[in-house]
Amino acid sequence: MPLIINKVCDDGTTSSPITMEEGKALIESLIKVVACYRHLASCVGGCTDNLHLRCELQQTRERAHKLAVACRHHLTARLRDKTLPPEERQEMERLWVAFTSSLELLHVDMCKVLNMGSNFSLVNTSALVKTGIQGETREVAARALSLADLNRAEDPVPGSLEDLEQGQLKEEIVRVDQMLEDMEEKVNVPRWMVEARGPQYADPASMDSTSLGLYSMDEEASVQHEQRCERSQVFVILALCGVILVAAVLSVCVIYFS
Amino acid sequence: PKTPTLHLMERVIIAMQDPDIGLKMRNQRLLITVIPHAMTGNDIMEWLIQKYNITDEEAGHLGGLLVQYGYIYPLKEPRSLILRSDDSPYRFQTPYFWTSSRWPASELDYAIYLAKKNIRKQGELVDYEKQNYNLLHKRINHTWDFVVMQAREQIRASKQRRKADRIVLECQEQAYWLVNKPCPGAFDVFDLGPERCNVLNSRVILNSSLLFFLLRISSVPNNSLSSHFLLSLSCVCSFMKFCDQYHQHDPIMSGCLPSNPWISDDTTHWTINTDLVGTPTRLRVERWSFSFMELLNDCLGRREFMTYLEKEFSGENLCFWEACEDLRHGESSKIILKVEEVYKTFLSPGAARWVNIDSKTMERTLEGIKQPHRFVMDDAQMHIYFLMKKDSYPRYLKSDLYKNMLSKAIVPQETKKSVFPFMRRQRHSSPSPAMVSQATEDNGKAKGAGPAATNSGTLS
């Protein structure tokens, strides 16, 4: 049963009441989008940096902003509601901390992208760093936008898009800054007092079933190790065969000559 | 604003990316996957040597810095951040993970990284990483749920990439954290040591030779240089100029003529360089042309300059300057007296040796004289100093007086070392003054006793 919020929201708009579960889902989406944004940001300036990547970054940012605004409404409304029971308040505070941390990460990543974007212009692709990455990032962006696949209809012009994008990015950074400041002022949540609920060491088995054995650098080492073991086994077998062969030949000779 | 050395290193990295004259790329072969953009340590060294025309040692040093600061990371033995000049493979780090003083590695990021590592493979964390993880769990406990959720989401995001890219991304992140959070005991490039310097200014403590070298290889500066960089560039340039200029004059660098008194026991070097010697050495006279202060600090030089100024009827400038210096450095009890004298001699209207100061400075000085203190003449002194420096000093250097001095100046001959080494004078320290005085005492006593003895001798 949805809780009815009596107070009017801060910016004057009345939003439809959302449930606790929906609020939690919003935060989780925001965390997902922030993770995807970081992933995309780590490709800026590298050899796969292109207009598509910059577009994807922009779309991801917009989605993050929408989610952030929705989360903020939900959380501020709930936390300013004095009739909230204590367990729910604790839960809200945890979500609040998650929300602020996500925004902080997003802010840092946006600043970094702005800085790198100004240093690595797409007009001069010979200066992009050869990082060894080959593939595209459209699946990551699709994941961030919760779409099956991205729609790459238009092909924008390089120079104009970059300037436009840099300007927009600066504005968006300012917006996130303001949001963070507003939140600190309006809601008084002592962050350090919040206790985490989850375990210290996360359980790897709780990952998606779509993960088919995660690859790490050790795979190569273990495979090589296996290869080496196999090789040594083969040698031993060969040596044994050789010995048996020699023994057989000798016995044949003994029988033949005696 | 980046520190200048980071900026220079980034420029080197970008120069390496050039498709024509950049570094040669190879492929890294892992069982079935092929990852491009690898290079051997040898490639890097050779490219640096060839591009910047430097020696092996310098290239090793520069390449080592690039690895230590995380711009290039090794593919085999990632924990050993050194540049080997053999065929060990390296790869470039993505700009997102470049060292930056604006966005230093944060605890939250580190916690997320360790959580990711743990989620991927249980027990993957090394000892010091486990310790750090536990510490962080205590310190930022309030946001731990977020840490774990974000770690999971980042892993899910990277699963969308192909295998080769995933390997590269993991290597990049690992390299970044090996630079920013090295294992205890390993060389920490950001360690400022017990003397904590200003973090922004001296994140990098390089010896000056390497700094000169980095400047030498930096090409024409583009307009993205910060003022920080330009300032240090100008400082180092002036330092280099100073070294070049004084190289011949330094007795340690270029030896002293005729010979080093400490070695040969020949004190000629000191006697010909005394303050008011008749004929100065050539090196000394040359030094007067380096800067105005050099001339003024040398007694002989100052005397010569005074002679020249008196010929030009502007000797009062130097006298005024000397009087002001005397005021500044002299006894406190005599300050008021000196100020009065200076005023009477140089500043009052109709004074005997009136100096030409502009009206504003004169007003200020006259105001200040009403309450005299040590530094009341500073403005006026500065004005006269610059007047002499800009006007009289260059003319003096071109004058006949100076040129005569230069031609008269002696260049002592270097003492010839004797051919047979055992014919050289043995080095011995001069006798201690205490022993000398005792010897004269003994002599005195002996002499005193002597005549008495002889007297007594003759008497008997």
Side-chain angles (χ1 to χ4, degrees):
Chain A
M1 200 178 80
L3 290 170
I4 298 174
I5 304 169
N6 296 326
K7 297 194 191 313
V8 175
C9 286
D10 306 332
D11 54 4
T13 60
T14 48
S15 59
S16 54
I18 41 181
T19 59
M20 290 282 286
E21 287 74 29
E22 283 173 353
K24 193 157 177 226
L26 276 178
I27 299 278
E28 283 171 7
S29 293
L30 180 64
I31 293 178
K32 178 182 77 169
V33 171
V34 166
C36 293
Y37 189 77
R38 169 158 287 203
H39 190 98
L40 294 172
S42 70
C43 298
V44 175
C47 46
T48 50
D49 192 2
N50 54 21
L51 286 166
H52 294 305
L53 179 68
R54 305 288 174 103
C55 278
E56 286 160 9
L57 280 165
Q58 194 181 9
Q59 290 169 328
T60 315
R61 268 200 306 275
E62 281 169 12
R63 173 112 177 107
H65 183 75
K66 279 196 203 117
L67 283 169
V69 168
C71 288
R72 190 180 80 159
H73 284 166
H74 171 70
L75 286 172
T76 35
R78 286 293 161 96
L79 284 167
R80 290 176 85 152
D81 181 14
K82 304 253 194 302
T83 62
L84 208 58
E87 308 87 40
E88 277 195 31
R89 178 158 282 274
Q90 273 190 354
E91 182 64 29
M92 281 292 121
E93 283 179 355
R94 263 183 227 114
L95 289 179
W96 180 259
V97 167
F99 176 54
T100 45
S101 308
S102 312
L103 273 196
E104 278 170 12
L105 281 189
L106 182 67
H107 185 256
V108 168
D109 285 340
M110 278 164 69
C111 290
K112 274 187 169 173
V113 168
L114 179 67
N115 188 39
M116 288 191 294
S118 57
N119 289 340
F120 292 97
S121 164
L122 290 178
V123 176
N124 176 23
T125 50
S126 62
L128 295 175
V129 180
K130 299 186 176 74
T131 49
I133 303 272
Q134 297 164 275
E136 287 196 326
T137 46
R138 55 195 293 169
E139 290 88 5
V140 179
R143 187 186 161 78
L145 304 172
S146 306
L147 298 172
D149 195 7
L150 278 192
N151 182 18
R152 294 245 186 99
E154 342 64 63
D155 246 344
V157 177
S160 61
L161 176 71
E162 274 189 74
D163 291 333
L164 193 64
E165 188 210 339
Q166 294 289 82
Q168 270 182 346
L169 184 47
K170 281 187 199 149
E171 283 172 32
E172 285 169 20
I173 292 177
V174 168
R175 265 197 301 196
V176 172
D177 251 339
Q178 276 180 343
M179 203 189 290
L180 280 166
E181 272 183 44
D182 278 346
M183 282 158 42
E184 289 295 315
E185 280 172 28
K186 284 181 180 142
V187 178
N188 184 17
V189 172
R191 282 214 266 172
W192 315 103
M193 302 289 289
V194 172
E195 275 180 40
R197 217 175 26 177
Q200 178 176 352
Y201 284 91
D203 185 12
S206 61
M207 296 293 295
D208 285 344
S209 58
T210 50
S211 69
L212 296 168
L214 292 152
Y215 300 103
S216 63
M217 275 309 283
D218 284 349
E219 185 206 68
E220 190 220 336
S222 61
V223 166
Q224 277 187 351
H225 182 72
E226 280 174 30
Q227 272 190 330
R228 255 180 261 128
C229 285
E230 284 175 23
R231 252 184 248 138
S232 58
Q233 279 174 6
V234 165
F235 277 136
V236 163
I237 292 170
L238 278 175
L240 272 174
C241 291
V243 164
I244 293 170
L245 206 64
V246 164
V249 163
L250 276 174
S251 56
V252 161
C253 288
V254 158
I255 296 170
Y256 188 70
F257 284 122
S258 63
Chain B
K2 292 197 191 91
T3 59
T5 29
L6 289 182
H7 195 103
L8 283 168
M9 286 198 273
E10 284 171 16
R11 293 255 296 281
V12 173
I13 295 287
I14 291 177
M16 286 178 173
Q17 309 303 323
D18 193 300
D20 304 316
I21 53 170
L23 209 52
K24 188 175 61 175
M25 296 280 121
R26 297 163 194 270
N27 287 335
Q28 182 197 12
R29 219 158 249 294
L30 300 172
L31 214 60
I32 27 170
T33 37
V34 173
I35 306 179
H37 305 154
M39 55 261 189
T40 65
N42 199 28
D43 285 344
I44 298 173
M45 290 277 286
E46 277 186 16
W47 185 87
L48 286 172
I49 291 171
Q50 194 252 323
K51 162 102 177 161
Y52 297 114
N53 202 14
I54 52 182
T55 63
D56 273 3
E57 202 190 329
E58 287 174 325
H61 210 152
L62 177 60
L65 272 184
L66 290 174
V67 177
Q68 268 172 18
Y69 278 89
Y71 290 100
I72 295 178
Y73 59 91
L75 298 175
K76 287 204 171 58
E77 291 180 49
R79 292 179 190 273
S80 153
L81 294 174
I82 54 176
L83 180 70
R84 287 178 232 270
S85 56
D86 50 19
D87 59 355
S88 20
Y90 292 85
R91 188 172 279 131
F92 290 115
Q93 178 64 284
T94 183
Y96 181 80
F97 283 133
W98 279 1
T99 307
S100 158
S101 49
R102 274 164 88 181
W103 300 290
S106 76
E107 283 190 332
L108 191 60
D109 289 332
Y110 190 42
I112 295 172
Y113 165 66
L114 289 176
K116 271 203 287 192
K117 222 174 158 188
N118 184 60
I119 292 175
R120 275 195 209 114
K121 211 175 187 186
Q122 275 278 7
E124 174 82 346
L125 294 180
V126 212
D127 293 329
Y128 76 96
E129 284 175 341
K130 277 204 200 100
Q131 276 177 9
N132 286 339
Y133 192 71
N134 295 336
L135 257 170
L136 284 168
H137 178 72
K138 277 195 210 121
R139 262 220 289 265
I140 52 172
N141 184 276
H142 61 286
T143 185
W144 205 254
D145 289 338
F146 169 73
V147 165
V148 171
M149 282 200 282
Q150 175 72 198
R152 286 211 183 100
E153 284 301 331
Q154 285 188 10
I155 293 179
R156 285 184 193 130
S158 66
K159 275 196 223 157
Q160 307 294 322
R161 310 294 299 270
R162 56 164 87 165
K163 179 180 167 187
D165 288 349
R166 248 184 300 191
I167 295 178
V168 174
L169 290 167
E170 276 179 36
C171 288
Q172 283 173 355
E173 210 182 354
Q174 184 189 34
Y176 176 71
W177 289 109
L178 282 173
V179 168
N180 283 281
K181 292 265 188 241
C183 17
F187 176 70
D188 184 2
V189 83
F190 299 120
D191 188 10
L192 295 173
E195 306 136 2
R196 297 208 58 218
C197 331
N198 180 353
V199 174
L200 278 179
N201 284 340
S202 43
R203 226 120 192 216
V204 174
I205 302 169
L206 281 183
N207 58 26
S208 49
S209 63
L210 192 60
L211 201 50
F212 295 161
F213 156 69
L214 282 171
L215 281 162
R216 195 151 57 90
I217 65 169
S218 61
S219 47
V220 175
N222 55 26
N223 49 10
S224 69
L225 284 176
S226 61
S227 59
H228 208 144
F229 173 65
L230 288 172
L231 185 67
S232 41
L233 192 62
S234 67
C235 282
V236 176
C237 280
S238 59
F239 182 53
M240 281 169 79
K241 217 175 75 170
F242 177 88
C243 287
D244 278 337
Q245 204 177 33
Y246 279 87
H247 190 266
Q248 291 297 329
H249 298 255
D250 191 314
I252 294 177
M253 304 298 284
S254 309
C256 49
L257 305 171
S259 60
N260 188 336
W262 297 109
I263 295 177
S264 63
D265 277 351
D266 175 19
T267 53
T268 323
H269 177 73
W270 289 331
T271 46
I272 61 176
N273 276 312
T274 46
D275 273 354
L276 293 174
V277 73
T279 350
T281 56
R282 194 185 178 82
L283 282 177
R284 188 173 171 182
V285 180
E286 273 176 19
R287 268 204 296 277
W288 297 346
S289 67
F290 287 171
S291 77
F292 189 41
M293 267 331 272
E294 198 66 55
L295 177 68
L296 286 181
N297 283 337
D298 188 346
C299 299
L300 201 60
R302 200 190 282 196
R303 206 174 57 179
E304 287 295 308
F305 191 54
M306 182 66 100
T307 326
Y308 173 74
L309 284 179
E310 271 166 12
K311 277 207 185 129
E312 302 230 313
F313 304 106
S314 46
E316 66 270 9
N317 288 339
L318 190 55
C319 291
F320 175 68
W321 185 85
E322 282 182 337
C324 291
E325 282 288 287
D326 188 37
L327 172 66
R328 271 162 56 119
H329 301 298
E331 289 178 35
S332 298
S333 51
K334 299 205 176 123
I335 286 180
I336 300 177
L337 207 68
K338 285 185 183 167
V339 170
E340 268 187 45
E341 268 188 50
V342 168
Y343 175 71
K344 265 201 301 223
T345 324
F346 298 103
L347 297 173
S348 64
R353 314 193 76 182
W354 189 79
V355 285
N356 191 3
I357 310 176
D358 66 295
S359 50
K360 265 199 214 140
T361 320
M362 183 64 101
E363 265 178 51
R364 264 208 302 268
T365 315
L366 292 176
E367 274 297 308
I369 285 177
K370 293 180 187 155
Q371 279 151 358
H373 58 90
R374 197 178 283 275
F375 304 109
V376 71
M377 296 288 175
D378 270 8
D379 283 342
Q381 187 189 6
M382 192 68 73
H383 181 89
I384 293 292
Y385 175 81
F386 281 116
L387 188 70
M388 288 195 288
K389 182 175 171 182
K390 289 210 180 96
D391 187 35
S392 316
Y393 175 61
R395 277 189 287 125
Y396 168 68
L397 290 180
K398 293 189 197 126
S399 70
D400 290 331
L401 204 66
Y402 179 70
K403 290 192 180 132
N404 283 341
M405 204 66 180
L406 205 55
S407 55
K408 261 194 325 177
I410 51 175
V411 181
Q413 290 294 321
E414 194 179 347
T415 47
K416 284 196 175 54
K417 294 195 179 70
S418 52
V419 179
F420 300 103
F422 46 85
M423 297 262 276
R424 262 188 226 149
R425 263 182 62 195
Q426 290 302 314
R427 273 182 245 168
H428 58 271
S429 59
S430 40
S432 144
M435 287 175 63
V436 170
S437 58
Q438 185 150 51
T440 48
E441 260 184 55
D442 287 343
N443 271 344
K445 276 196 198 134
K447 283 201 185 119
T454 47
N455 273 347
S456 60
T458 51
L459 271 174
S460 59

